[in-house]
Amino acid sequence: MARAGLTAERLTQAGAELADEVGFDKVTVAALARQFGVKDASVYSHLKSSQDLRTRIALLALAELADRVSAALAGRAGKDALEAFANAYRDYAREHPGRYAAAQIRLDPDTAAASAGGRHAQMTRAILRGYDLAEPDRTHAVRLLGSVFHGYISLESGGSFSHSAPGTEETWSRVLDALDALLRHWPAT
């Protein structure tokens, strides 16, 4: 019988916290069972597998991140919205590195469609309305923003920019300025 108090939600939250502490790649059912002082079987009575746990953490992270970005975007437009969006992602990744990593995993199509991932795309597209881009340029711009934000965040968190001046804040600001300028003067196709 499972230990009282364990639920899939509680295990997911604990798994997300563990991911932030030790890294998403180190989160397993066995690690979670050790944390709660129970046998693996007690955890498996609430979760199907380590992959189920990883998927649940990813869904939690996507929802948290979407909520944070949505709050940051409220009432903003143009470059102000672009900066709010980018900073919300970067701040979340800094505060929750394991969860941010979880948000990057590939989900099966049905799970992805039901996740908060769609909200991320909608918010990115909403930002781009201020730049008056038509399709397919809007889709290209969504991909560009995602690539730049994730790439910068990943390199920064890995220490790639810590070896030289100027500081990462100055570079981040310049990156956002450059993206704004590019979006305002998107090359014609």
Side-chain angles (χ1 to χ4, degrees), residues 3 8 47 66 74 117 142 151 153 158-159 161 165 168 178:
R3 174 177 267 191
L47 303 172
V142 166
I153 289 166
F161 304 143
T168 59

Side-chain angles (χ1 to χ4, degrees), residues 89-110:
Y89 265 86
R90 186 173 178 227
D91 291 346
Y92 185 84
R94 287 172 156 181
E95 293 166 25
H96 300 291
R99 293 176 212 210
Y100 181 78
Q104 308 309 313
I105 68 168
R106 180 183 291 243
L107 300 172
D108 70 73
D110 292 335

Side-chain angles (χ1 to χ4, degrees), residues 75-155:
R76 298 176 190 268
K79 184 179 181 191
D80 191 35
L82 175 69
E83 289 175 342
F85 183 96
N87 288 329
Y89 265 86
R90 186 173 178 227
D91 291 346
Y92 185 84
R94 287 172 156 181
E95 293 166 25
H96 300 291
R99 293 176 212 210
Y100 181 78
Q104 308 309 313
I105 68 168
R106 180 183 291 243
L107 300 172
D108 70 73
D110 292 335
T111 303
S115 77
R119 287 177 56 204
H120 294 266
Q122 289 171 346
M123 288 184 285
T124 307
R125 288 180 178 281
I127 289 168
L128 293 172
R129 280 195 293 271
Y131 291 99
D132 197 31
L133 298 175
E135 287 299 343
D137 291 331
R138 189 176 303 129
T139 297
H140 296 314
V142 166
R143 292 173 181 166
L144 171 71
L145 293 178
S147 299
V148 171
F149 298 156
H150 178 65
Y152 192 94
I153 289 166
S154 297
L155 289 168

Side-chain angles (χ1 to χ4, degrees), residues 4-79:
L6 289 184
T7 64
E9 292 77 22
R10 185 169 177 218
L11 291 165
T12 301
Q13 185 65 41
E17 291 166 9
L18 184 61
D20 288 339
E21 292 170 22
V22 301
F24 181 61
D25 59 330
K26 293 183 176 75
V27 176
T28 63
V29 167
L32 205 52
R34 280 191 304 276
Q35 184 173 332
F36 279 96
V38 299
K39 295 184 186 277
D40 292 6
S42 295
V43 175
Y44 281 121
S45 67
H46 300 284
L47 303 172
K48 297 175 196 167
S49 62
S50 283
Q51 185 57 44
D52 181 33
L53 173 61
R54 293 171 62 77
T55 299
R56 288 171 181 270
I57 295 168
L59 294 173
L60 172 71
L62 286 167
E64 287 177 345
L65 188 50
D67 290 345
R68 181 176 288 200
V69 171
S70 178
L73 286 176
R76 298 176 190 268
K79 184 179 181 191

